[in-house]
Amino acid sequence: MDPETAPGASGGSASAAIAVPSDTAPAVPSETDPDEGSRLRSGARRMQAVKNGVRKGGESVRDAAQYVTDRIIENAPRVPVRDLATLRAQFPGLGPEQLAEKLVSGACAATSTVGAGIGAAAMLPVPPAMPAELAAEITAVAAIELKLIAELHEVYGRRPHGGRGERSLAYLTAWTEERGVDLTKPTTLNAALGGQMKRELRQQIMKRMFRSLPNLMPFMVGAAVGAVMNRRDTRKLAEKVRGDLRRRAVDWEALSALPPLERPVKPLPEATRIALEAADPSAAG
């Protein structure tokens, strides 16, 4: 069973993240036709139940955040990253800004697709697996954005020091803080996995979980909202990181020769790998 679609962690599980109570208040009567009014009332009750469950289930939400945090940290070194030479070969004739925009557009399209899928799943009459689906969305979007951040560092000549493990932790820091990596302050393994890093990562995940609540709205509105929100958030993150990197960019002609980036030894879970490939189907990995 794929760990990202069937969460389970010590002290709690992602499937317990959103408890849906049965004693929710009825929705305000609608003036629309009976069938439509019934659907709207049912959707309002479901949405309110989700909100109530998140509000009342603080411990379960923290357990779920812990689970997703661990999965993101575990996946980070397994995200395939293309080095500058590979990117220039795959996108010939593009300068740094054009190439960066190409990467951002692909990542936005991919996270948008993930958000639409989660929103569509919420249209089911009874979505018992929704917390697990949200956990899968968060980890997939994080992988897409980590790959984007890593490749933007390549484009702007700011590859972090160290091996794959050290670099992936630096990119996690960039993701949680929404900035480029400061090469004068390399992230050490101990510091990156310390309490402060995990606390910041959990805060980011909690924000993502609460932003994902509108995706639980019934009907196709859920899919549309999920797609728009993910695209917007990925674009916002990318612009912050690009702005930071652009100020410290190194011209391609002035770059010292760097070794090719090693490929991950352990593959990502299938669902996350498929989501990553959507960022650039013709040149994935």
Side-chain angles (χ1 to χ4, degrees), residues 9-94:
S10 59
S13 67
S15 61
I18 301 178
V20 180
S22 59
D23 58 344
T24 54
V28 177
S30 171
E31 296 181 359
T32 58
D33 67 81
D35 288 342
E36 183 179 357
S38 176
R39 289 196 299 269
L40 291 173
R41 286 193 295 273
S42 175
R45 284 195 297 270
R46 287 172 59 210
M47 188 61 180
Q48 188 59 48
V50 171
K51 290 181 177 179
N52 290 344
V54 171
R55 186 170 57 249
K56 295 177 181 178
E59 290 298 327
S60 295
V61 171
R62 281 192 289 273
D63 290 341
Q66 171 69 63
Y67 170 82
V68 178
T69 297
D70 291 343
R71 297 292 75 74
I72 291 174
I73 292 174
E74 177 185 311
N75 286 344
R78 301 156 67 182
V79 173
V81 177
R82 293 167 291 184
D83 55 35
L84 178 59
T86 301
L87 289 168
R88 293 185 69 181
Q90 291 176 347
F91 300 100
L94 299 184

Side-chain angles (χ1 to χ4, degrees), residues 42-264:
S42 175
R45 284 195 297 270
R46 287 172 59 210
M47 188 61 180
Q48 188 59 48
V50 171
K51 290 181 177 179
N52 290 344
V54 171
R55 186 170 57 249
K56 295 177 181 178
E59 290 298 327
S60 295
V61 171
R62 281 192 289 273
D63 290 341
Q66 171 69 63
Y67 170 82
V68 178
T69 297
D70 291 343
R71 297 292 75 74
I72 291 174
I73 292 174
E74 177 185 311
N75 286 344
R78 301 156 67 182
V79 173
V81 177
R82 293 167 291 184
D83 55 35
L84 178 59
T86 301
L87 289 168
R88 293 185 69 181
Q90 291 176 347
F91 300 100
L94 299 184
E97 290 301 321
Q98 294 170 309
L99 180 51
E101 183 56 36
K102 190 81 171 179
L103 297 178
V104 172
S105 296
C108 288
T111 58
S112 174
T113 299
V114 172
I118 297 300
M123 294 186 296
L124 297 175
V126 181
M130 189 52 59
E133 294 287 350
L134 285 172
E137 178 196 9
I138 295 166
T139 51
V141 168
I144 293 167
E145 292 179 347
L146 284 171
K147 180 181 177 71
L148 172 63
I149 286 172
E151 292 181 349
L152 286 176
H153 279 77
E154 289 290 311
V155 169
Y156 288 104
R158 304 296 293 177
R159 180 190 297 183
H161 305 291
R164 171 173 288 276
E166 288 80 7
R167 290 196 306 272
S168 67
L169 293 171
Y171 298 138
L172 275 171
T173 301
W175 184 70
T176 58
E177 298 181 0
E178 299 184 343
R179 62 171 178 79
V181 174
D182 185 349
L183 299 186
T184 66
K185 300 177 181 178
T187 304
T188 65
L189 185 64
N190 291 336
L193 291 179
Q196 181 178 352
M197 170 68 176
K198 284 198 172 183
R199 281 194 298 273
E200 291 175 355
L201 191 52
R202 287 192 192 101
Q203 289 172 358
Q204 287 293 103
I205 290 167
M206 292 291 284
K207 290 177 184 178
R208 174 73 69 177
M209 291 176 74
F210 279 95
R211 283 202 306 267
S212 295
L213 284 179
N215 298 0
L216 300 178
M217 289 294 287
F219 319 123
M220 285 304 293
V221 173
V225 170
V228 170
M229 290 181 69
N230 277 8
R231 183 187 302 114
R232 179 201 64 192
D233 291 343
T234 298
R235 170 68 66 174
K236 186 185 300 183
L237 170 69
E239 291 307 320
K240 288 182 179 179
V241 174
R242 278 181 76 180
D244 204 10
L245 291 173
R246 190 182 289 115
R247 288 190 292 271
R248 298 177 297 189
V250 179
D251 188 85
W252 288 350
E253 300 302 322
L255 279 174
S256 302
L258 293 173
L261 292 176
E262 61 272 34
R263 296 185 62 83

